[in-house]
């Protein structure tokens, strides 16, 4: 079956590119991807599969491919939302929705998986198990679309799940993997510091929220430097300090927003505990009130070591002109809501390199000039197809 699948994918490379370009021209933001969802649904019409739409109350779809023989059930996941970015590329298929762009390669994820799924449907009699194609919306915005897909109950029977991400970390043909905790978890916080306003000439009659807020900003920097084990990964970033006012008026309140990253659940819990402690201390030290909103969203992404080893071995042993190199990647710092699946099912999330040809310093995902080498779409389809065949021994 493997040789037949690879041949079918090669013959449909241009179709993958065509789908990717259509999606790139018509991006939609997280939780608003109704047209994209309909486009994907239309692709599966008339095919011998079960299609569940509007999964989890959102725009997700799950396509169930029931094999000709009983066996394990696996999930293959791709996301399809875009970002609120004004595109600055000069490609002929540039976004037609101003201020919205597929700047994270989700268009490519969806395109490869649609064609791979169709090929698997045609070969399903040879599959000893069930494959669930997971077209997921809203990866970019917390709480993320993965939660709704999981809570639908339609994935409860999964034995394992796989996903990929296109990244410009090498030329097309290079596939990367790593094991254990590979992406950090993430949390968002907002702190409102309420003091007492007053005249700039009479600070003793006021209670300066800016001073208290500034102290909070400085203090939270010690969480990573003085509370975390030096071998643990953690980041606390203050991204917004809203203290705009008038030069001679003491502000009565400020709002501070921040971002937390941590590579393990234990580290993420420790950082949250320390931020809450510092917030309470600011109240006592400056006689202000602090209203802290702390929202953990994406957990750390854990790649099951045994499953990842299987993926790496299958791909290293693949004799394929399009998969030119398979190597272990370092841990990466972004967060991914695929982590929700990986908390529930043994999972492997790996990487398909897509640096455009002739480019030495590519723009990374989320940049307004981000682009991919479209040859990577076939590499993605083949790599995941190889994993499916290796998993089932076909």
């Amino acid at each position: 079956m493997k040789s037949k699948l690879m041949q079918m994918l090669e013959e449909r490379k241009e179709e993958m590119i065509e789908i990717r370009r259509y999606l790139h021209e018509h991006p939609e933001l997280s939780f608003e991807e109704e047209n994209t969802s309909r486009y994907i649904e239309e692709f599966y019409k008339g095919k011998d599969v079960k299609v569940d739409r509007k999964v989890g109350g959102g725009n997700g779809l799950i396509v169930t491919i029931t094999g000709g023989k009983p066996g394990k059930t696996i999930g293959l996941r791709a996301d399809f939302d875009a970002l609120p970015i004004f595109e600055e590329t000069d490609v002929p298929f540039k976004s037609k929705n101003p201020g919205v762009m597929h700047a994270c390669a989700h268009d490519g994820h969806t395109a490869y998986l649609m064609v791979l799924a169709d090929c698997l449907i045609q070969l399903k009699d040879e599959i000893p198990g069930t494959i669930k194609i997971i077209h997921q919306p809203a990866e970019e915005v917390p709480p993320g679309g993965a939660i709704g897909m999981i809570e639908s109950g339609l994935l409860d029977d999964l034995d394992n799940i796989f996903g990929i991400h296109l990244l410009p970390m090498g030329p097309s043909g290079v596939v990367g993997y790593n094991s254990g905790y590979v992406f950090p978890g993430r949390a968002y916080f907002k702190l409102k510091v309420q003091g007492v306003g007053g005249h700039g000439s009479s600070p003793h009659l006021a209670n300066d929220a800016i001073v208290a807020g500034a102290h909070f900003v400085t203090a939270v920097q010690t969480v990573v430097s003085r509370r975390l084990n030096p071998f643990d990964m953690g980041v606390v970033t203050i991204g917004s300090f809203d203290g705009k006012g008038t030069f001679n008026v003491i502000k009565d309140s400020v709002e501070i927003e921040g971002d937390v990253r941590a590579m393990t659940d234990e580290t993420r819990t420790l950082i949250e505990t320390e931020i809450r402690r510092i917030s309470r201390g600011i109240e006592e030290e400056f006689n202000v009130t602090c209203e802290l909103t702390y929202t953990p969203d994406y957990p750390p992404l854990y790649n099951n070591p045994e499953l990842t080893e299987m993926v790496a071995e299958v791909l290293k042993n693949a004799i394929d002109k399009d998969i030119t190199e398979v190597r272990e990647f370092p841990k990466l710092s972004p967060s991914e809501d695929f982590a929700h699946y990986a908390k529930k099912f043994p999972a492997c999330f790996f990487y398909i390199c897509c640096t455009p040809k002739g480019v030495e310093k590519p723009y990374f995902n989320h940049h307004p000039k981000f682009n991919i080498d479209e040859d990577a779409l076939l590499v993605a389809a083949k790599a995941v197809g190889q994993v499916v065949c290796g998993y089932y021994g076909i």
Side-chain angles (χ1 to χ4, degrees):
M1 172 180 156
K2 181 167 66 176
S3 60
K4 284 190 283 188
L5 178 60
M6 297 302 123
Q7 172 95 28
M8 293 168 73
L9 292 172
E10 288 179 15
E11 292 171 354
R12 298 180 67 173
K13 176 182 176 181
E14 293 305 315
E15 184 181 354
M16 295 181 210
I17 293 173
E18 181 182 343
I19 293 171
R20 182 255 167 169
R21 292 185 177 186
Y22 174 84
L23 294 172
H24 194 89
E25 279 190 294
H26 303 89
E28 294 180 295
L29 295 175
S30 304
F31 299 105
E32 299 176 11
E33 321 92 330
E34 293 184 6
N35 292 328
T36 305
S37 183
R38 279 195 293 269
Y39 175 82
I40 297 170
E41 182 185 1
E42 188 68 27
F43 177 83
Y44 291 102
K45 278 192 176 176
K47 304 184 191 302
D48 188 17
V49 287
K50 178 177 181 285
V51 179
D52 289 286
R53 57 188 296 275
K54 294 292 182 183
V55 177
N59 295 311
L61 301 98
I62 294 177
V63 180
T64 302
I65 305 171
T66 303
K69 305 169 187 176
K72 289 187 175 181
T73 299
I74 62 172
L76 307 178
R77 174 269 203 175
D79 36 19
F80 60 81
D81 55 327
L83 288 156
I85 291 174
F86 282 92
E87 183 166 3
E88 296 179 9
T89 68
D90 57 2
V91 297
F93 47 91
K94 190 173 180 178
S95 170
K96 292 181 177 178
N97 298 336
V100 185
M101 177 189 175
H102 270 296
C104 200
H106 295 183
D107 50 350
H109 299 170
T110 300
Y112 102 78
L113 187 57
M114 287 169 66
V115 174
L116 173 61
D118 192 27
C119 294
L120 291 171
I121 291 167
Q122 295 178 53
L123 297 171
K124 69 177 189 171
D125 287 345
E126 300 181 46
I127 298 173
T130 299
I131 300 174
K132 296 195 173 185
I133 305 298
I134 304 164
H135 289 293
Q136 181 209 303
E139 189 279 329
E140 297 289 358
V141 175
I147 292 176
M149 305 299 280
I150 294 168
E151 291 179 348
S152 73
L154 296 172
L155 302 176
D156 286 351
D157 56 347
L158 290 188
D159 292 291
N160 298 109
I161 187 168
F162 301 92
I164 63 97
H165 209 300
L166 290 160
L167 296 172
M169 296 180 65
S172 175
V174 176
V175 180
Y177 69 93
N178 48 20
S179 184
Y181 284 107
V182 296
F183 277 17
R186 185 177 74 184
Y188 159 84
F189 66 86
K190 179 167 74 173
L191 179 72
K192 181 177 180 180
V193 181
Q194 183 65 55
V196 178
H199 198 287
S201 66
S202 305
H204 61 295
L205 300 177
N207 202 351
D208 196 335
I210 285 182
V211 172
H215 192 83
F216 173 84
V217 171
T218 300
V220 294
Q221 303 310 308
T222 66
V223 174
V224 173
S225 67
R226 288 296 176 269
R227 291 292 176 263
L228 260 60
N229 185 315
F231 294 101
D232 293 339
M233 177 272 184
V235 177
V236 179
T237 296
I238 302 297
S240 174
F241 191 115
D242 185 3
K244 178 71 175 171
T246 304
F247 75 98
N248 64 344
V249 174
I250 294 173
K251 282 284 289 182
D252 68 332
S253 67
V254 297
E255 288 192 355
I256 302 166
E257 291 179 284
D259 179 73
V260 172
R261 309 282 169 144
M263 192 58 83
T264 67
D265 285 323
E266 291 77 15
T267 300
R268 191 166 64 150
T269 299
L270 174 61
I271 292 174
E272 178 181 356
T273 299
E274 290 299 313
I275 288 177
R276 290 187 181 280
R277 183 182 63 80
I278 291 170
S279 173
R280 293 193 300 270
I282 295 294
E283 289 184 311
E284 185 68 25
E285 184 174 0
F286 293 93
N287 192 28
V288 296
T289 59
C290 291
E291 181 183 337
L292 178 66
T293 301
Y294 196 100
T295 308
D297 42 60
Y298 300 169
L301 198 164
Y302 184 78
N303 270 347
N304 178 273
E306 292 180 2
L307 197 63
T308 303
E309 183 179 359
M310 183 277 292
V311 167
E313 286 304 308
V314 165
L315 294 176
K316 286 177 180 178
N317 292 326
I319 302 173
D320 192 299
K321 61 182 175 58
D322 293 301
I323 301 175
T324 57
E325 183 182 357
V326 179
R327 66 171 184 250
E328 186 170 2
F329 272 23
K331 298 181 187 300
L332 301 175
S333 56
S335 299
E336 238 290 346
D337 87 338
F338 185 87
H340 287 296
Y341 300 108
K343 282 183 75 72
K344 187 172 178 64
F345 316 104
C348 180
F349 191 74
F350 56 105
Y351 322 111
I352 308 296
C353 290
C354 64
T355 299
K357 290 179 176 61
V359 176
E360 291 186 9
K361 295 182 178 179
Y363 296 103
F364 205 72
N365 305 61
H366 290 217
H367 192 281
K369 293 185 179 180
F370 171 79
N371 199 9
I372 68 170
D373 179 351
E374 292 177 319
D375 286 348
L377 301 178
L378 178 59
V379 178
K382 281 189 162 187
V384 177
Q386 289 274 1
V387 168
V388 170
C389 291
Y391 182 90
Y392 285 117
I394 51 179

